[in-house]
Amino acid sequence: MISLATSPKQIVLFYNSNQKNHKEIFAYASSAGKHLLAIDVSKDKVAGTTWTEIADVMNLRVRDLIHTDHATFENKYGTDSNIDCDGAIKVLQKDPEMLIFPIAIEGKRAKEIKLYNEILEFFDVDTSSIHIP
């Protein structure tokens, strides 16, 4: 089980290595020159309390980490799914593909990374040296 401990000198990235955009964002984060703790949710089980801590840092509820209006969620769970926080934790633990966007955390700052350039907010990098898989 993974527990959350953050530092302003470290980027913590929750991502799914089975998703192409997540792998590309991981490549950007790897080039940061800061210590990177990359947590692959498809391989590592993340504790429910960690998901709660992530949501807290983002000023969200755990259920807000699940994009119920996204096609990936709707295709698996339907459009009428009402999910509470406990249900969201179970979904994130059992279906890592439901983490639609990677989440980057640095100190007390956290963000869903929807576009590649958003990870750049966490570091100063020369993007020409990034190898995108």
Side-chain angles (χ1 to χ4, degrees):
M1 293 267 202
I2 302 296
S3 181
L4 185 64
T6 60
S7 162
K9 296 179 183 177
Q10 171 180 274
I11 296 172
V12 181
L13 182 70
F14 290 85
Y15 78 109
N16 182 342
S17 65
N18 294 327
Q19 294 184 20
K20 185 178 186 301
N21 67 324
H22 287 228
K23 286 193 291 191
E24 292 169 348
I25 289 168
F26 169 76
Y28 274 84
S30 295
S31 69
K34 288 187 179 183
H35 179 61
L36 175 66
L37 173 58
I39 298 163
D40 184 349
V41 298
S42 71
K43 296 177 180 150
D44 299 318
K45 185 172 181 176
V46 179
T49 54
T50 302
W51 287 117
T52 302
E53 290 177 52
I54 293 168
D56 287 346
V57 171
M58 297 175 74
N59 292 317
L60 299 171
R61 296 170 294 185
V62 178
R63 70 182 193 171
D64 297 328
L65 297 175
I66 306 249
H67 293 272
T68 57
D69 58 344
H70 193 276
T72 301
F73 182 87
E74 290 179 348
N75 288 339
K76 188 157 191 171
Y77 294 100
T79 57
D80 295 331
S81 293
N82 232 348
I83 192 166
D84 63 9
C85 289
D86 288 335
I89 289 169
K90 289 176 185 169
V91 167
L92 288 166
Q93 289 177 327
K94 293 182 184 192
D95 294 326
E97 68 273 6
M98 292 305 129
L99 182 66
I100 304 299
F101 303 107
I103 297 172
I105 303 169
E106 179 187 46
K108 296 196 180 284
R109 179 172 61 137
K111 182 175 185 169
E112 275 187 322
I113 308 299
K114 296 178 182 176
L115 303 171
Y116 309 115
N117 65 341
E118 291 176 338
I119 193 70
L120 300 178
E121 296 172 23
F122 290 85
F123 55 89
D124 188 24
V125 67
D126 177 9
T127 55
S128 64
S129 66
I130 297 171
H131 170 69
I132 304 295

